[in-house]
Amino acid sequence: MINNLAKSFSRGALLLAMAGLMVTTSASAQSTRKQMRTANKFFKKENYRAALPYYDQVLAADPNNAKALYFAGISYLTFDKEKAGDFLNRAHQLKPNLDKELEYWLGRADHINYRFDNAIEHFQSYQKTINKRNIERKEEVAQLIQYAKNAKREVANPKDVFVKNLGGDVNTAYSEHSPVISSDYNYLLFTSRSEATTGEKAAQDGEFFEDIFETNRTGEDSWEKPRPVPGALNSAGHDASIQLFDNDTKLLLYQSINNGDIMVSERQPDGSWGAPKSISDKVNTRDFESDAYITPDGSTLFYSTSHFSENGDLDIYMLQRNKNGSWGNPKSLGRTINSKFDEDSPYLASDGTLFFASRGHSSMGGYDIFAAKYDSVARRWGRPENLGSPINTPDDDTYYRLAPDGSYAYLSSYRIGGYGEKDIYTINYIKNATVKGRVLVQGDSTLALPGVELVFNGLQADKRPISYRDVSKPDSATYNVTMLSGRNYQVQLSLDGEVLETQEFEVPVVLDDTTTIRKDFFVTLEDTTVARIAKLTPDAATPASVKMENIYFATDKYDLRPEAIQELDRIAEIMKANPTLNISIEGHTDSRASDSYNMTLGQNRADAAFDYLVSKGISAKRMVTVTYGESRPAVPNTSADNMQLNRRTIFRVLPREELQRNQEVQ
């Protein structure tokens, strides 16, 4: 579960960075030399937090001490990537030939700070200095160059995904990871190396040992102050949460015993957790078992282990539970999933998609999250797909877990702008929003503009163009468009083929499919155009024409909904304020029943609005009702959403003579 700097970067690179630079220091004050020696001692132990204050003291006395800048820059790579790049670049500016490893570390810093071309240049320069016989080192740097190329490609083609930090209630300046959410979304377990841990004060690397914490949701984006889990879960070593299962009564967890084992704990009646027990000798070995996932029915276990690897990397295996409850023998997921690098953190979604973290395949750098599906006919796993940017970053991205309903996911990674080291994030796919409103004349909000074409032009996250269109309705000058949220649109408004003007409109990020955004567009027109529109639509200049919205009904119903009553109350107020205003109330249906039935249903819907307005004091002589049944759909009856739009009653302003003609017919 632990990914320290030596694992993430290169143990060899760290040792090479120290060689030749630790022993000698600049001819400065004795206290500075002592501070430098102390800092280097901690650095060699990979205790970077302890080393940095001493490097800072050296730099306070000697800001141009290239060696202190160099080692401080490497140290900052563990939890402040931006500062790491600044320190390493300053060292390079002062002494370009300070150390041949400097090019390597500049490449690492540029890579994780999204400067991919610079990173590739540094790595290529460093490659030339590697001894030809050091094949392992050459392969490592070649892989780093490929990571940078992968990252450049993915970042240039991002997905429409919203990644959000879980916030300071949970995340700290230390590492938080392995989020586990309960089936009701309100109970969160996670792993932290913060100062609140209960085990030994600190591990050898200067960080606190990992402990499992719990918290309860207090709001949509807020949590109680986390606390170490009660019971016997947290030991003196590393402990990490993995998965709640069996109706949230059991917990898979990691403990750093026997080089790392997968354990199981059961929840006690008082809410605490019982003493962890090994999940199985078929799983746990003398080697490193890191993470696991058990299917909801308890029949299959996926887990990552180094036990079967020739070079000590992690691979993903699975076992099936026997009828007697014991576990069968482990089986590798095969070379399609397991690369020559680490594969970790398996998670099987309800649709059969396997999500896992890998340093191989097409990783952008460090661990990335991949997805693969099993072909039951061919009986093999499909090629893993990188989830791409912004889910994955050039640094480690791990512990991808879907919420119980699959609507969003949790992830642990280091990202610029976080709280420090790894943080826990949520991932939502950006959804469509319904945008609707009216087109009105600037300076005269009573004058609506029917027949205006609105074209919304924007870009997807990967820069591909998208466009949406509607025309303002003849009766109300309203429009209604469903469009991708979370972007800025250029809106072109045209009338009779002539572009009136172009405006900008930003649609905020929407994470569900039910959000409606209201936006009225005001258009500046020449006086001749205003006069022409007013002549063509003489009733558009009344308050009713711009205020009256359609009302909608349930399938086969003509009962007034609460929102319909609210709109009818507004219409009644408008008509009271405008005593010469007359309206036609027109009932419509979807196409589910026969024509004759729908004509009757449409009349009932119009009558329901008519009767309500009469009850509010509006004279029956000022209104007529009409039914069109299913004959005038607003949109094709091709989906449940469209049919809802057609189950409506609309309100149209009538000149007095037309009102009289309609009343004579009725």
Side-chain angles (χ1 to χ4, degrees):
M1 306 294 282
I2 308 302
N3 295 305
N4 59 22
L5 189 62
K7 180 70 172 177
S8 298
F9 297 127
S10 166
R11 180 71 178 177
L14 287 166
L15 294 175
L16 286 168
M18 299 301 297
L21 290 179
M22 281 186 58
V23 177
T24 61
T25 61
S26 61
S28 59
Q30 182 177 357
S31 60
T32 302
R33 292 199 301 271
K34 181 179 179 181
Q35 290 160 354
M36 193 72 175
R37 286 196 299 270
T38 303
N40 289 341
K41 180 180 67 175
F42 284 119
F43 183 97
K44 189 175 182 179
K45 293 179 178 179
E46 301 172 31
N47 191 338
Y48 307 110
R49 284 189 185 272
L52 277 167
Y54 293 98
Y55 288 130
D56 287 342
Q57 291 175 36
V58 173
L59 291 169
D62 181 8
N64 293 327
N65 189 312
K67 294 177 184 177
L69 288 167
Y70 179 43
F71 290 126
I74 297 173
S75 299
Y76 273 120
L77 281 169
T78 58
F79 51 85
D80 195 330
K81 318 298 184 182
E82 293 172 283
K83 188 175 287 187
D86 293 340
F87 275 58
L88 290 168
N89 277 297
R90 284 171 57 196
H92 185 256
Q93 291 168 5
L94 289 166
K95 288 189 177 182
N97 298 319
L98 174 69
D99 179 30
K100 71 174 185 178
E101 296 297 309
L102 180 54
E103 287 285 353
Y104 171 89
W105 292 108
L106 285 168
R108 298 309 301 249
D110 279 336
H111 177 219
I112 58 181
N113 281 288
Y114 290 80
R115 297 187 288 267
F116 305 121
D117 288 335
N118 290 346
I120 292 170
E121 289 180 10
H122 286 303
F123 289 139
Q124 288 174 339
S125 295
Y126 178 70
Q127 257 185 336
K128 298 174 184 177
T129 69
I130 303 174
N131 189 301
K132 292 181 179 180
R133 289 174 292 182
N134 195 345
I135 298 174
E136 183 178 347
R137 188 70 166 156
K138 281 187 171 292
E139 289 179 348
E140 178 198 348
V141 178
Q143 183 63 38
L144 291 173
I145 293 172
Q146 187 59 54
Y147 282 157
K149 291 178 179 179
N150 295 343
K152 183 179 179 181
R153 181 184 66 250
E154 294 292 350
V155 170
N157 297 279
K159 307 297 189 295
D160 275 303
V161 174
F162 184 64
V163 180
K164 183 179 180 181
N165 193 295
L166 199 60
D169 292 340
V170 171
N171 292 316
T172 70
Y174 298 87
S175 177
E176 277 76 39
H177 62 82
S178 303
V180 176
I181 191 72
S182 63
S183 55
D184 66 1
Y185 302 87
N186 293 322
Y187 177 63
L188 178 72
L189 290 165
F190 65 97
T191 304
S192 176
R193 302 191 77 179
S194 73
E195 296 173 314
T197 56
T198 60
E200 294 289 332
K201 183 175 177 63
Q204 183 179 354
D205 61 4
E207 301 281 346
F208 294 95
F209 282 103
E210 292 178 322
D211 269 357
I212 301 172
F213 288 75
E214 66 177 8
T215 181
N216 294 94
R217 189 187 297 276
T218 57
E220 183 177 353
D221 295 313
S222 58
W223 301 85
E224 293 176 346
K225 182 179 179 180
R227 55 202 171 270
V229 288
L233 290 191
N234 290 321
S235 67
H238 291 298
D239 310 284
S241 47
I242 293 180
Q243 180 191 355
L244 284 168
F245 68 105
D246 201 3
N247 295 320
D248 297 346
T249 62
K250 296 178 182 177
L251 174 70
L252 284 183
L253 66 146
Y254 164 91
Q255 287 193 323
S256 55
I257 57 176
N258 302 320
N259 291 318
D261 279 357
I262 306 300
M263 313 293 285
V264 180
S265 173
E266 293 194 31
R267 197 156 199 175
Q268 305 302 300
D270 63 357
S272 65
W273 291 94
K277 299 178 181 178
S278 172
I279 189 168
S280 171
D281 291 341
K282 292 290 182 69
V283 174
N284 292 321
T285 68
R286 64 182 181 277
D287 297 307
F288 183 36
E289 280 71 50
S290 173
D291 203 358
Y293 175 79
I294 191 169
T295 55
D297 61 4
S299 64
T300 306
L301 181 78
F302 296 84
Y303 72 107
S304 50
T305 178
S306 66
H307 182 63
F308 304 98
S309 171
E310 294 181 0
N311 61 359
D313 67 300
L314 289 167
D315 289 328
I316 299 176
Y317 279 70
M318 64 176 290
L319 330 89
Q320 299 284 344
R321 195 185 291 275
N322 298 318
K323 291 182 179 180
N324 63 4
S326 64
W327 289 103
N329 292 321
K331 180 181 179 182
S332 171
L333 295 197
R335 293 182 179 179
T336 303
I337 300 297
N338 293 319
S339 70
K340 65 179 181 179
F341 301 96
D342 289 317
E343 273 70 45
D344 198 3
S345 193
Y347 171 81
L348 190 71
S350 59
D351 67 353
T353 301
L354 177 72
F355 295 93
F356 64 98
S358 175
R359 297 181 192 271
H361 302 294
S362 58
S363 170
M364 294 168 58
Y367 278 116
D368 273 8
I369 306 301
F370 290 83
K373 287 214 170 188
Y374 187 73
D375 186 335
S376 58
V377 176
R379 302 181 69 179
R380 65 187 179 201
W381 289 98
R383 184 175 65 87
E385 297 285 340
N386 191 308
L387 294 194
S389 175
I391 292 176
N392 289 319
T393 71
D395 211 324
D396 281 337
D397 307 286
T398 53
Y399 311 113
Y400 180 93
R401 297 288 187 268
L402 286 170
D405 67 354
S407 62
Y408 66 97
Y410 288 94
L411 174 79
S412 176
S413 66
Y414 176 91
R415 291 167 192 258
I416 294 172
Y419 289 85
E421 294 198 36
K422 286 186 176 64
D423 282 351
I424 297 172
Y425 291 81
T426 56
I427 301 168
N428 297 76
Y429 282 89
I430 295 174
K431 303 296 182 65
N432 288 333
T434 299
V435 180
K436 65 180 182 179
R438 303 181 183 87
V439 182
L440 309 169
V441 174
Q442 185 71 47
D444 186 358
S445 60
T446 64
L447 184 56
L449 295 178
V452 173
E453 181 185 45
L454 302 94
V455 179
F456 297 79
N457 293 309
L459 295 173
Q460 296 185 99
D462 59 6
K463 307 304 180 185
R464 287 183 298 167
I466 48 177
S467 184
Y468 306 92
R469 175 189 175 276
D470 196 14
V471 177
S472 58
K473 302 298 183 291
D475 56 345
S476 60
T478 59
Y479 73 92
N480 189 307
V481 178
T482 299
M483 64 181 71
L484 188 63
S485 69
R487 59 217 61 243
N488 198 53
Y489 288 94
Q490 298 289 321
V491 188
Q492 180 178 284
L493 299 104
S494 305
L495 182 64
D496 297 334
E498 176 186 351
V499 177
L500 300 176
E501 60 184 80
T502 300
Q503 301 182 18
E504 286 195 359
F505 174 49
E506 184 177 359
V507 181
V509 171
V510 168
L511 304 178
D512 59 63
D513 293 314
T514 61
T515 299
T516 298
I517 299 169
R518 290 197 57 85
K519 170 64 176 177
D520 292 338
F521 286 98
F522 292 86
V523 181
T524 301
L525 299 178
E526 297 179 0
D527 292 341
T528 54
T529 306
V530 175
R532 176 168 60 88
I533 294 170
K535 184 176 180 180
L536 291 173
T537 57
D539 302 308
T542 65
S545 67
V546 295
K547 295 288 186 180
M548 292 186 291
E549 297 273 12
N550 299 345
I551 61 175
Y552 297 91
F553 299 84
T555 303
D556 200 30
K557 302 291 184 183
Y558 52 91
D559 302 325
L560 296 174
R561 293 171 167 175
E563 61 267 29
I565 291 174
Q566 184 178 4
E567 179 61 22
L568 288 168
D569 287 338
R570 292 177 63 243
I571 293 172
E573 292 301 318
I574 292 170
M575 296 188 72
K576 289 176 183 178
N578 297 270
T580 62
L581 197 66
N582 308 304
I583 62 172
S584 172
I585 304 174
E586 302 171 357
H588 300 262
T589 71
D590 60 33
S591 59
R592 297 190 189 202
S594 65
D595 289 349
S596 59
Y597 182 89
N598 284 336
M599 288 296 287
T600 301
L601 181 58
Q603 185 63 54
N604 288 338
R605 287 172 175 170
D607 289 344
F610 179 97
D611 293 340
Y612 186 85
L613 290 171
V614 169
S615 74
K616 288 296 183 178
I618 305 303
S619 171
K621 295 180 180 180
R622 298 174 60 191
M623 302 179 289
V624 295
T625 59
V626 182
T627 177
Y628 292 106
E630 66 179 83
S631 64
R632 294 189 180 183
V635 291
N637 287 287
T638 54
S639 68
D641 289 343
N642 281 8
M643 288 186 178
Q644 173 62 86
L645 294 176
N646 290 329
R647 296 193 296 270
R648 70 202 190 280
T649 289
I650 69 174
F651 305 89
R652 187 167 60 88
V653 176
L654 293 177
R656 179 171 294 278
E657 55 270 25
E658 186 176 347
L659 173 72
Q660 291 173 344
R661 287 197 303 270
N662 289 343
Q663 287 176 334
E664 289 171 0
V665 171
Q666 290 185 347

